[in-house]
Amino acid sequence: MLILAHLRLPEGVTRLEPMLDDADPDVRLVAVAGLPLGEDPDAVPALVRALSKRRLAPERVIERLGQPWAVESLLGQLKSLDEAGERRAAPRVGVARALGHAGDPRAEPAMIDLLGRGSLEERISAARALGAVGGRRARPELERALTDEAWPLSAQAAK
């Protein structure tokens, strides 16, 4: 499996993604480790789908997604989730956490948007991500979040 990823073969993502649903948790872990090795933007949607299915610990997926090569695709995934009417918070939370992990300032506008309109869990993840990617534009939004009635959000904004 990992050889497919290292070789960066065009069919690598297509062959590895089904393994994210394998009954064997070790196979799933190897697949989640292998998908990002080729730094193929097509691996990002596969990993975001894995977040939605919750067949793997989110941290395993997020640490693989939170890389500079994936930022543009992650931002595209946020937009796609909105356009598809995805209601579950898990994929957006995971994408926000991955964007924060990547530490890329290109994520700032999307995280500001999510901070203002998402579910509580999404807003907390956006505030956390803004700590890593935010600049001057994020400051007023984080200051507003400081006074939110949900203490976990205001605590994350303060942090």
Side-chain angles (χ1 to χ4, degrees), residues 46-99:
L47 291 166
V48 171
R49 284 190 290 275
L51 285 170
S52 295
K53 293 176 183 179
R54 295 183 174 237
R55 299 261 319 179
L56 293 150
E59 294 76 23
R60 297 291 167 254
V61 179
I62 290 164
E63 65 193 15
R64 300 309 194 278
L65 280 172
Q67 305 298 322
W69 65 267
V71 170
E72 284 297 323
S73 292
L74 285 167
L75 292 170
Q77 283 298 296
L78 274 180
K79 187 176 179 181
S80 294
L81 290 167
D82 289 340
E83 290 170 355
E86 174 64 57
R87 299 284 182 236
R88 292 172 294 169
R92 269 189 289 283
V93 166
V95 170
R97 290 177 58 198
L99 286 166

Side-chain angles (χ1 to χ4, degrees), residues 136-148:
R136 291 178 187 247
R137 291 178 33 201
R139 184 177 177 174
E141 303 304 322
L142 287 168
E143 287 174 349
R144 217 176 338 276
L146 286 171
T147 61
D148 196 274

Side-chain angles (χ1 to χ4, degrees), residues 78-127:
L78 274 180
K79 187 176 179 181
S80 294
L81 290 167
D82 289 340
E83 290 170 355
E86 174 64 57
R87 299 284 182 236
R88 292 172 294 169
R92 269 189 289 283
V93 166
V95 170
R97 290 177 58 198
L99 286 166
H101 188 69
D104 192 307
R106 293 176 291 174
E108 182 184 45
M111 293 301 93
I112 289 171
D113 180 56
L114 192 58
L115 179 63
R117 67 169 175 83
S119 69
L120 180 58
E121 192 177 1
E122 291 167 346
R123 295 173 66 218
I124 291 168
S125 295

